[in-house]
Amino acid sequence: MSDAINPDHYKSGDMECIDSIKASMTEESYRGYLKGSVQKYLWRYEDKHPKRQAEDLEKAEWFLKKLIEEIKDGGVS
């Protein structure tokens, strides 16, 4: 079964896309990116795919968990 939240096309070699994004940003920018991603998926979940609303909510949850990790870890990987 395919992982709709973190599919294989988000990985290149040993690095995942999210790790590359994080490496290219300041801590503040990365946290803003995560927050914006949460907001994006919450904003559109009712309209984008009416029969797959849970998928966008799970994506929002995934980004929220990443943001919580960042806050708890103080941005340290």
Side-chain angles (χ1 to χ4, degrees):
M1 182 175 190
S2 178
D3 182 349
I5 296 171
N6 198 15
D8 286 341
H9 64 267
Y10 284 167
K11 301 173 185 112
S12 178
D14 292 336
M15 182 170 275
E16 291 194 30
C17 183
I18 191 73
D19 296 326
S20 176
I21 291 168
K22 181 178 180 179
S24 73
M25 296 180 163
T26 65
E27 181 180 318
E28 181 180 9
S29 294
Y30 181 63
R31 288 180 180 185
Y33 165 76
L34 295 173
K35 180 180 176 181
S37 294
V38 171
Q39 292 171 325
K40 171 183 71 174
Y41 287 113
L42 288 176
W43 181 272
R44 68 182 194 183
Y45 88 91
E46 294 176 303
D47 299 319
K48 186 176 177 206
H49 301 289
K51 295 184 186 223
R52 296 190 340 234
Q53 292 178 340
E55 187 175 299
D56 272 353
L57 292 173
E58 288 168 346
K59 289 177 182 181
E61 178 184 40
W62 189 88
F63 281 99
L64 180 58
K65 285 180 179 179
K66 284 282 193 192
L67 180 56
I68 291 168
E69 287 174 19
E70 283 298 306
I71 299 299
K72 284 184 175 179
D73 295 343
V76 178
S77 300

